[in-house]
Amino acid sequence: MFVDQVKIYVKGGDGGNGMVAFRREKYVPKGGPAGGDGGKGGDVVFKVDEGLSTLMDFRYQRHFKAVRGEHGMSKNQHGRNAEDMVVKVPPGTVVIDDDTKQVIADLTEHGQEAVIAKGGRGGRGNTRFATPANPAPQLSENGEPGKERYIVLELKVLADVGLVGFPSVGKSTLLSVVSSAKPKIADYHFTTLNPNLGMVETEDGRSFVMADLPGLIEGAHEGVGLGHQFLRHIERTRVIVHVIDMSGLEGRDPYEDYVTINKELEQYNLRLTERPQIIVANKMDMPDAEENLKAFKEKLTDDYPVFPISAVTRQGLRDLLFEIADRLETTPEFPLYDEEDMAENRVMYKLEDEEAPFEISRDPDGTFVLSGAKLERLFKMTDFSRDESVKRFARQLRGMGVDDALRARGAKDGDTIRLLEFEFEFID
């Protein structure tokens, strides 16, 4: 089964917790704090493996969580950093954030890596909080939570040449006779449900990868037929080979077919029209094909070469393959995404207010609910089993303006405040 799109969940490892400890050696007077920091959580890293050709494995495992860092230890020992979780993906995988729809990574080359979810940093031990005013703090941090997100993986086939055209025009037959690929061939529409790849070698020793893609029909850019499944895979090809049935046995006009397919390519992605196109007039061994080809050339206004062939009798294939190889030598690769389009690499400066560090809302029962990424991160990194940590958290809330904002919303002494699943009283 060929799988070319899947949604999964990834989470970087949490950082290890810092420790509260003190030196107690016999000959060390006033030993002082000795709690070590926690280790960093592991990243979730995607790595290209050219041995894979489908996203099938992600059908069976959809959650990927990296290991958390080791907790800090006494004697100022730092916790061990966790190892990264390396997930193998096939070449041609595009990683998209499901919430923002931004492209995180476009993975095409064997061995290429991208960090998809970063692990959290380790929490600080009590040694880090020692000051002249408080030389023996009973205070440490929990590890930072790792980044978590839902992502969509899309596989876009890596082929130099893409065969496009209506169903049953002979694309699979053409691929089978010019390469060792063995696509399913039958006399009905949509025989080809998945892209088939074949390595083609010309008589003068040049070679390239050709993809036979699922048949295209009118409305494909909106998802009609096998629309999006087909169009996703044409995006990476450098040369488009447009196969047309010149026999007219299906009852369609060859020129109308040509116009319809090109319109679909243009409406799906305007950059597809930048690629060189070669028109292949197939089934020239059939009656009426010569007359249809003559009429087709009279109507044709585009400056594309036309190659009359018969995939069955192999007539005209040699010249066609030479033309494709020549075009590939002069056609650069078309990057799907500019570097600045990558979500992780882009810094966009906007004249707008900074995102509020917290938000306040009210439940129907009158409870004040606090939320916000920065606030929740502070909360998760606080060790509530120690009074000093709790007091520090209260000071941080006050410094962020949470107390004043609650009063402005009408909070009074004894009101219930909820943060995540925890509740506490407001004390004025």
Side-chain angles (χ1 to χ4, degrees):
M1 183 179 177
F2 184 87
V3 178
D4 60 359
Q5 187 174 39
V6 70
K7 179 180 173 181
I8 64 172
Y9 168 84
V10 293
K11 183 183 187 305
D14 297 339
N17 297 338
M19 188 179 193
V20 173
F22 296 92
R23 298 188 68 173
R24 291 186 174 84
E25 288 94 335
K26 186 174 180 181
Y27 299 108
V28 183
K30 301 178 183 176
D37 300 346
K40 178 185 174 297
D43 298 335
V44 178
V45 179
F46 281 15
K47 184 175 183 178
V48 178
D49 182 351
E50 63 187 5
L52 300 174
S53 59
T54 170
L55 298 173
M56 190 68 185
D57 292 347
F58 295 97
R59 276 288 174 95
Y60 305 108
Q61 184 182 355
R62 290 179 182 261
H63 285 72
F64 295 87
K65 294 183 180 179
V67 180
R68 79 173 302 154
E70 191 177 29
H71 298 320
M73 292 167 282
S74 58
K75 298 183 181 177
N76 283 324
Q77 292 181 85
H78 196 293
R80 187 187 296 113
N81 293 340
E83 289 188 10
D84 294 340
M85 172 183 256
V86 178
V87 181
K88 293 183 177 177
V89 295
T93 302
V94 178
V95 186
I96 301 166
D97 187 294
D98 190 49
D99 292 327
T100 64
K101 306 305 178 192
Q102 283 185 307
V103 177
I104 302 167
D106 184 14
L107 303 166
T108 56
E109 298 171 10
H110 180 65
Q112 186 180 348
E113 294 184 353
V115 177
I116 306 302
K118 290 185 177 178
R121 69 169 175 84
R124 292 174 290 178
N126 68 332
T127 306
R128 300 281 192 168
F129 295 99
T131 63
N134 185 10
Q138 296 266 351
L139 170 65
S140 68
E141 275 181 338
N142 288 342
E144 181 185 28
K147 171 88 174 174
E148 55 184 317
R149 65 196 342 173
Y150 279 93
I151 58 172
V152 175
L153 301 182
E154 285 189 353
L155 179 61
K156 301 187 179 183
V157 166
L158 291 173
D160 301 307
V161 180
L163 300 175
V164 307
F166 267 81
S168 298
V169 294
K171 299 188 297 296
S172 297
T173 306
L174 174 58
L175 181 70
S176 69
V177 297
V178 298
S179 75
S180 58
K182 294 181 171 52
K184 184 179 176 185
I185 300 171
D187 189 20
Y188 58 87
H189 287 184
F190 298 121
T191 313
T192 306
L193 297 175
N194 308 311
N196 293 301
L197 294 180
M199 179 63 76
V200 181
E201 190 166 352
T202 60
E203 288 181 14
D204 58 357
R206 292 179 291 176
S207 61
F208 51 85
V209 178
M210 182 182 278
D212 157 33
L213 300 154
L216 190 58
I217 59 173
E218 192 166 3
H221 71 282
E222 296 169 347
V224 178
L226 297 174
H228 284 153
Q229 282 176 265
F230 155 79
L231 287 162
R232 183 181 304 128
H233 297 294
I234 194 69
E235 285 186 59
R236 288 199 194 275
T237 57
R238 287 191 284 154
V239 174
I240 295 175
V241 174
H242 195 147
V243 185
I244 298 171
D245 177 3
M246 276 298 159
S247 68
L249 288 178
E250 296 270 335
R252 298 193 308 266
D253 177 40
Y255 185 72
E256 291 296 320
D257 284 4
Y258 168 78
V259 172
T260 301
I261 298 291
N262 275 346
K263 199 176 291 180
E264 292 305 319
L265 293 177
E266 186 178 341
Q267 288 180 303
Y268 177 72
N269 181 346
L270 285 172
R271 296 200 63 184
L272 292 181
T273 56
E274 297 172 15
R275 290 155 173 69
Q277 193 171 132
I278 296 170
I279 300 171
V280 172
N282 194 20
K283 304 189 183 180
M284 292 305 294
D285 53 318
M286 304 293 284
D288 300 331
E290 289 291 346
E291 291 176 24
N292 290 337
L293 177 59
K294 189 177 177 184
F296 177 85
K297 285 183 174 177
E298 287 173 1
K299 295 178 185 175
L300 186 66
T301 55
D302 297 318
D303 188 24
Y304 295 141
V306 180
F307 284 82
I309 69 155
S310 168
V312 175
T313 65
R314 300 180 182 242
Q315 164 201 340
L317 290 184
R318 182 175 178 274
D319 292 341
L320 171 64
L321 296 183
F322 280 159
E323 175 67 16
I324 293 172
D326 290 343
R327 287 299 176 99
L328 285 172
E329 286 178 358
T330 59
T331 306
E333 287 191 10
F334 293 84
L336 285 188
Y337 307 98
D338 297 328
E339 280 298 315
E340 55 266 25
D341 285 345
M342 299 296 185
E344 297 294 301
N345 298 334
R346 181 167 60 189
V347 179
M348 186 178 290
Y349 298 98
K350 291 182 178 178
L351 188 63
E352 58 183 33
D353 294 334
E354 188 181 342
E355 186 183 353
F358 64 90
E359 292 179 3
I360 300 174
S361 58
R362 291 197 78 170
D363 277 357
D365 61 359
T367 302
F368 290 88
V369 180
L370 296 174
S371 60
K374 186 176 178 181
L375 185 63
E376 289 170 9
R377 178 172 161 273
L378 275 178
F379 179 79
K380 289 175 181 175
M381 293 180 71
T382 301
D383 178 7
F384 284 95
S385 65
R386 297 186 179 274
D387 286 344
E388 273 196 49
S389 296
V390 176
K391 288 174 184 173
R392 177 172 177 260
F393 181 65
R395 289 195 300 272
Q396 287 172 321
L397 290 191
R398 204 170 298 122
M400 290 169 68
V402 174
D403 290 16
D404 293 339
L406 284 169
R407 288 190 193 95
R409 289 291 297 266
K412 296 183 177 63
D413 207 27
D415 282 351
T416 303
I417 312 296
R418 183 182 299 128
L419 175 53
L420 297 177
E421 65 269 29
F422 297 90
E423 295 184 351
F424 45 92
E425 280 187 13
F426 180 69
I427 299 172
D428 204 354

